[in-house]
Amino acid sequence: MPFHEFRPGRLVAGVTGLAVAAVYLGDAAGSWDAPWYAVVPLLSCGLPLAALAGWVGHRVRRRRTARSTPADGAPTGAGRATG
């Protein structure tokens, strides 16, 4: 399995979607009676949190990448002739 970078915004958005699905699934199964507007608080809290988590994750990756490149802007290890 190839390694990929962690995307916290997508994780929070996915959990929000699963919570919305669970509310409607419980209503469809007859476990509880959820009105149609019951997911509005979930979406209005979950999606901004996902955006915030995605923005913070982007800033962390950007800062980490900026620290790993040398000050002159040359890529590390790529295209260098070996002795």
Side-chain angles (χ1 to χ4, degrees):
M1 186 168 117
F3 179 74
H4 59 86
E5 53 190 28
F6 179 61
R7 303 281 183 142
R10 291 182 181 187
L11 175 68
V12 175
V15 169
T16 300
L18 287 174
V20 169
V23 168
Y24 283 134
L25 184 64
D27 186 32
S31 299
W32 57 76
D33 187 30
W36 66 269
Y37 55 84
V39 297
V40 172
L42 285 172
L43 290 175
S44 64
C45 292
L47 294 181
L49 281 175
L52 179 65
W55 179 76
V56 169
H58 172 73
R59 296 289 294 182
V60 167
R61 283 191 311 274
R62 185 173 158 198
R63 173 172 268 189
R64 190 175 298 155
T65 303
R67 272 193 281 165
S68 67
T69 58
D72 63 355
T76 56
R80 290 187 182 174
T82 56

